[in-house]
Amino acid sequence: MTLEEWQADTRYRHGTIEHDTSSKGWKNGKRVFKDCWRAEIMIAGERFRHRSKGREDCVAWLKAVKQGKIKPTVEH
């Protein structure tokens, strides 16, 4: 899908933003956990994710994808 097709697609999209605290494994006898935010959106049966240390970055990414300003595969 090109950027023009993506911007012309006006279907309603919604996504989620959640705090990711899953386990990264064990290090030096201690369990280590992630501390990041994850934004997810499903488009045409395909899941796209954006991970960041700050929630604001995930909110901005999700808002831009929902408005059609960027494709979900574009890194910024």
Side-chain angles (χ1 to χ4, degrees), residues 4-76:
E4 291 78 24
E5 292 171 337
W6 176 250
Q7 290 171 339
D9 185 8
T10 59
R11 288 181 283 185
Y12 179 74
R13 299 178 183 99
H14 66 298
T16 61
I17 299 173
E18 58 189 28
H19 191 227
D20 184 8
T21 58
S22 59
S23 175
K24 290 169 65 175
W26 293 82
K27 184 173 183 181
N28 297 329
K30 294 182 180 179
R31 196 157 181 194
V32 181
F33 294 94
K34 293 179 185 177
D35 183 26
C36 64
W37 291 89
R38 180 184 309 179
E40 293 184 355
I41 190 167
M42 287 282 283
I43 300 171
E46 190 172 352
R47 182 182 319 229
F48 296 95
R49 293 186 182 108
H50 176 78
R51 293 176 184 91
S52 178
K53 282 302 243 180
R55 187 179 196 283
E56 296 79 23
D57 187 40
C58 287
V59 170
W61 178 84
L62 190 58
K63 183 177 179 180
V65 169
K66 288 188 333 185
Q67 291 177 349
K69 292 182 179 179
I70 63 170
K71 290 176 67 174
T73 56
V74 175
E75 291 293 323
H76 65 279

